Structures are given as structure tokens and as C-alpha cells.
């Protein structure tokens, strides 16, 4: 044996030490994840354990392909992007299609003009329609689950989630050439080998459940074969002949009083009512006796009578009603000379209530101090007495009064009138020049 081992090459020794796929499947918790090349890994047991672990994302299947990824999709026409239903419901596709057709019908000159002077807002949609589309009718797109990777040709695979085992669609029946009421072609093999092990509880007519009405067993065209039975003649896989009747499930339920309704108050028993009536009669007698004793003793002091009605509400204060409006007294005024925006009449806002009372204006005038600036030279201060100082003050005061009297807006009015006259003259000169000029 040792002599033979010496003759084996390293490659053969490596192949001999490699684990078999059957052994890997026996040691793995999920045998379906074991693949042919898993036995060639450096640590096949660890690899299979990681692949069988919960929420493990598999390696993309194109890792072992010699050609590049998506190389087989060359030449296949790419499907145009379809808008979601909630966006397509706004009618944007029709608006865009009409706009494109209108653009195609335009001439080159019109297209150039549109490019230089574009017009905006050609495909406008009502704001409320867009708001409802995105905030009321928006639906989530179909998202892939965890570990669901894309592979080449995934979009062409049949979605089996919508299919149910044992349920044959009309398209499949037409493809198999099954007339109405005929059995599926695989029923004979199922009767021979048994129901599919992946679906042990699946009801299959002619195998473990009764055949439809009007059908018959047999191997003639349209016949449902021969159901498998044991030596005694009992069906092996289920009630094929429909002899057994399903026993109704009996649930033990508490008796319900239908006369009462939920939420109604429970009526007290008659005995309790009688006891309460007796207690009330006893209490009424004691109360009357107590009232008689209280009546004999008067709590009100002598000389004071109890009023019949006592009003505990607070007395409401009646405030004097204010008038809604007031008619102002109109007073005619004479327009002073040289005044701007003068009026011929005025209104008395606050009529004097009492003439003897001092006015606010008079009070303010009395508070004002007559300040007058008096200029004196340094030489005059040496021989200046009080009488001379008083004379200087009076002289300055008279000058201030004269200055205030002569101050008016006549010069401003005259200047404004001159400006207006000058502007009118300039306008007239311009209009004459324009009339004289000829093209």
C-alpha cells in the first residue's frame, strides 16, 4: 500500500483529500446552498456555514462567467422608461406629445426664432393637480428585498409569487390542450408515484380529493385514471371518493343572555329596594322630629324680620352712554395774504366749556420765559449801570418783536412763482422749435 502511495501524484493526493459534495450537504443546515465548486474551497465547512447563515447576501452569480457582465444584452432593444401611475394620471405625457408634434411641424426659420426668443410656460399643469399627485396619490415603488441582487435576464423571469400550486390558469390549459373537465396530464404519474413531497397538504382532485361532478375514473379520453387504494379498497392518500363527511368543529361557548344589552345598568334586586324604603321611612320620621325641635327655637334676633327674597347678584354699574358721533361747529376764516393752501372755513374741535377757566395755550405761554440775546462790548462793561443794562435789554426785545412780525412766506411764494413761469416759457420754446423743424 505504501508502495502504491509513493506512485500517486500530488494532484491525485489533493483530489483524494477533498471533501465530497454529499458529505458537505449532510453537515450543512441548508443543503440547497451547497454548490459543485464549494468542495474546492480552502475551508469548505466554513464556507458552507457562512452561506447557510441567516441574512447572508450571496456572491453575484456572474463571478464565474467568462464573458463580461451584461454582454449578452447587446442587441436587445431597451424598454423606454414608464412614468409611475400617479404622475401619468396628471396628463403630462399627452401635453408633451402634443408639444413635440407641434415642434416637428415647425419650419427651420420658426425654430431659429424660438431659440433666440423662447416662450416659457408651454407645458404648465395646474398646481392643485400636481399637489394631489405627489401628496395624495403617490405610491411607493417596488423595492428589492435584502440580498436580492440583479443578474442578467432577471427582468424576463416569471414572477412566481402570483402563482398558486394546483391552480391552473386558462392560458396553461389552452397550452396543454386540456378541454373543459379533463384532468391534467401529470395526474396518472401522481397516482403511480404519489403527491409532490414539497406540497404535502395540497388537495389534488383524483389523488387525495374528490373529482369534479360529471367526471369519471378510467383511462378513456377525459378519464381521471385509477386512484391508488390499499388491499381493503381504502384510498391511500386521502378521501378520493368523497365518502367522509367533514365533522363540524364544536366550540364550547358560554351561554349569552340575549335579553340584556351591553352598557345597560343592572337593575337592583327587589329585596334591596324594600330595605332601602324601610330605611327612608325611618329616616323621614327622625327628620320630622328634629325639625319640630328646631322650630321651637328661633335663631333670628328680635326686631329683625326675614326678607321674603334675597338677591345675591352683584349690582350692575350703569355707565353713562357715550354719543356715537359729534357734529363739529363750522367757523368761517379769511385767507391771509401770501399763505399757501389756505382755507375759507375751519372747524372747532374742542369748544370751550368754561370761559372763566384758563386755556392750555395761556398756561403754556405763561410758562415760557422771554429770553433775549443782548450783545455788549468789553469797553461798555466798565461804566455800565443797571439802568443802561435795562435799556439795552428793552431795545433788543423790541428788535426781536419787529423781526417776528415781518417774518412771512411771501419771498418763498414769489420765488416759486418765478420758477413756474420760467418752466412754462421753456416748454413753449421747445414746442415752437419742434413745429418749425421739418423732415
Amino acid at each position: 500500500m505504501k508502495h502504491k502511495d509513493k506512485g500517486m501524484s500530488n494532484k491525485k493526493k489533493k483530489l483524494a483529500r477533498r471533501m465530497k459534495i454529499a458529505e458537505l450537504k449532510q453537515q450543512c443546515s441548508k443543503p440547497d446552498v451547497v454548490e459543485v465548486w464549494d468542495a474546492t474551497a480552502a475551508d469548505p465547512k466554513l464556507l458552507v456555514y457562512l452561506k447557510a447563515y441567516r441574512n447572508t447576501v450571496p456572491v453575484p452569480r456572474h463571478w464565474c462567467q467568462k464573458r463580461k457582465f451584461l454582454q449578452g444584452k447587446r442587441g436587445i432593444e431597451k424598454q423606454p422608461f414608464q412614468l409611475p401611475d400617479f404622475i401619468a394620471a396628471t396628463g403630462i405625457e399627452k401635453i408633451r406629445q402634443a408639444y413635440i408634434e407641434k415642434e416637428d411641424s415647425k419650419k427651420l426659420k420658426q425654430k431659429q426664432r424660438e431659440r433666440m426668443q423662447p416662450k416659457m410656460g408651454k407645458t404648465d399643469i395646474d398646481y392643485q393637480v400636481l399637489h394631489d399627485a405627489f401628496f395624495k396619490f403617490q405610491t411607493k415603488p417596488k423595492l428589492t428585498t435584502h440580498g436580492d441582487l440583479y443578474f442578467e435576464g432577471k427582468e424576463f423571469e416569471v414572477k412566481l409569487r402570483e402563482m398558486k400550486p394546483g391552480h391552473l390558469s386558462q392560458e396553461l390549459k389552452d397550452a396543454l390542450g386540456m378541454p373543459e373537465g379533463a384532468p391534467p396530464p401529470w395526474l396518472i404519474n401522481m397516482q403511480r408515484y404519489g403527491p409532490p413531497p414539497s406540497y404535502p397538504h395540497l388537495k389534488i382532485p383524483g389523488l387525495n380529493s374528490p373529482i369534479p361532478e360529471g367526471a369519471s375514473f378510467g383511462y378513456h379520453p377525459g378519464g381521471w385514471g385509477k386512484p391508488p387504494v390499499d388491499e381493503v379498497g381504502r384510498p391511500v392518500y386521502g378521501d378520493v371518493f368523497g365518502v367522509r363527511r367533514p365533522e363540524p368543529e364544536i366550540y364550547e361557548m358560554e351561554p349569552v343572555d340575549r335579553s340584556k344589552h351591553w352598557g345597560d345598568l343592572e337593575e337592583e334586586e327587589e329585596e334591596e329596594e324594600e330595605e332601602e324604603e324601610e330605611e327612608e321611612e325611618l329616616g323621614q320620621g327622625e327628620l320630622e322630629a328634629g325639625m319640630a325641635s328646631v322650630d321651637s327655637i328661633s335663631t333670628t334676633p328680635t326686631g329683625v324680620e326675614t326678607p321674603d327674597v334675597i338677591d345675591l347678584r352683584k349690582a350692575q354699574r350703569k355707565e353713562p352712554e357715550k354719543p356715537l358721533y359729534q357734529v363739529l361747529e363750522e367757523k368761517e376764516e379769511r385767507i391771509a395774504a401770501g399763505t399757501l393752501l389756505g382755507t375759507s372755513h375751519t372747524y372747532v374741535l374742542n369748544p370751550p366749556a368754561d370761559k372763566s377757566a384758563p386755556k392750555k395755550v395761556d398756561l403754556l405761554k405763561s410758562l415760557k420765559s422771554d429770553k433775549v440775546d443782548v450783545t455788549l462790548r468789553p469797553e461798555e462793561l466798565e461804566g455800565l449801570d443797571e439802568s443802561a443794562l435795562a435799556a439795552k435789554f428793552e431795545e433788543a426785545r423790541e428788535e426781536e418783536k419787529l423781526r417776528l412780525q415781518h417774518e412771512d412766506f411771501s419771498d418763498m411764494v414769489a420765488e416759486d412763482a418765478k420758477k413756474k413761469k420760467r418752466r412754462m416759457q421753456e416748454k413753449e420754446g421747445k414746442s415752437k422749435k419742434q413745429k418749425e423743424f421739418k423732415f
Side-chain angles (χ1 to χ4, degrees), residues 24 28-39 41 43-59 63:
L24 269 178
C28 182
S29 59
K30 291 183 179 179
D32 53 329
V33 300
V34 180
E35 293 171 313
V36 181
W37 44 77
D38 289 345
D43 193 349
K45 291 182 181 179
L46 177 63
L47 174 64
V48 170
Y49 172 77
L50 291 174
K51 287 174 74 174
Y53 200 76
R54 185 174 175 269
N55 289 339
T56 299
V57 180
V59 179
W63 69 270

Side-chain angles (χ1 to χ4, degrees), residues 112 146 242 287 333:
Q112 293 292 340
H146 176 73
L287 186 62
E333 291 286 341

Side-chain angles (χ1 to χ4, degrees), residues 390-434:
K392 282 273 185 187
F393 178 76
E394 288 295 332
E395 186 182 346
R397 192 174 180 181
E398 290 295 331
E399 287 178 2
E400 185 70 20
K401 284 181 180 180
L402 288 169
R403 188 177 65 80
L404 291 171
Q405 285 177 1
H406 289 295
E407 188 176 5
D408 56 358
F409 296 99
S410 57
D411 53 347
M412 290 174 66
V413 175
E415 191 177 349
D416 190 60
K418 285 180 184 178
K419 285 182 180 178
K420 285 182 179 178
K421 193 175 181 181
R422 198 184 305 130
R423 285 174 192 162
M424 292 295 290
Q425 288 175 358
E426 287 176 359
K427 283 183 180 178
E428 287 176 0
K430 284 182 181 178
S431 62
K432 284 179 181 179
K433 286 181 182 178
Q434 287 176 356

Side-chain angles (χ1 to χ4, degrees), residues 144-319:
T144 56
T145 56
H146 176 73
D148 188 10
L149 302 177
Y150 177 78
F151 52 88
E152 193 173 334
K154 185 181 180 182
E155 62 270 19
F156 302 114
E157 283 193 350
V158 180
K159 294 179 182 178
L160 299 175
R161 284 190 177 182
E162 299 172 1
M163 308 297 179
K164 292 182 180 179
H167 180 73
L168 304 180
S169 63
Q170 191 61 39
E171 294 178 3
L172 181 60
K173 288 179 180 179
D174 295 342
L176 293 171
M178 291 170 55
E180 194 65 33
W186 52 81
L187 179 64
I188 306 300
N189 286 332
M190 282 189 177
Q191 289 173 349
R192 185 182 300 171
Y193 300 111
S198 300
Y199 305 98
H201 304 291
L202 182 65
K203 297 293 182 185
I204 302 168
L207 182 67
N208 54 12
S209 67
I211 57 177
E213 293 182 3
S216 60
F217 288 106
Y219 294 104
H220 59 276
W224 287 74
K226 186 180 178 182
V229 292
D230 57 2
E231 298 163 354
V232 189
R234 290 176 297 185
V236 178
Y237 300 112
D239 186 19
V240 184
F241 304 110
V243 179
R244 300 176 195 169
R245 293 182 180 178
E247 297 179 0
E249 296 179 357
I250 302 168
Y251 297 99
E252 294 182 0
M253 297 177 68
E254 296 181 0
V256 181
D257 189 5
R258 300 289 180 182
S259 62
K260 294 181 179 179
H261 299 284
W262 186 87
D264 289 346
L265 296 173
E266 294 182 0
E267 296 180 358
E268 297 178 355
E269 296 179 2
E270 294 180 0
E271 294 178 1
E272 293 179 359
E273 288 180 358
E274 290 176 2
E275 289 176 2
E276 286 181 0
E277 286 176 4
E278 290 175 3
E279 288 176 1
E280 284 178 2
E281 287 175 2
L282 291 171
Q284 191 72 22
E286 291 175 1
L287 186 62
E288 287 175 0
M291 289 288 288
S293 61
V294 169
D295 288 340
S296 60
I297 303 165
S298 179
T299 54
T300 55
T302 54
V304 179
E305 293 182 1
T306 307
D308 296 334
V309 181
I310 300 171
D311 191 6
L312 298 174
R313 290 178 293 181
K314 292 181 179 179
Q316 295 180 356
R317 296 178 182 177
K318 291 184 179 180
E319 297 180 357

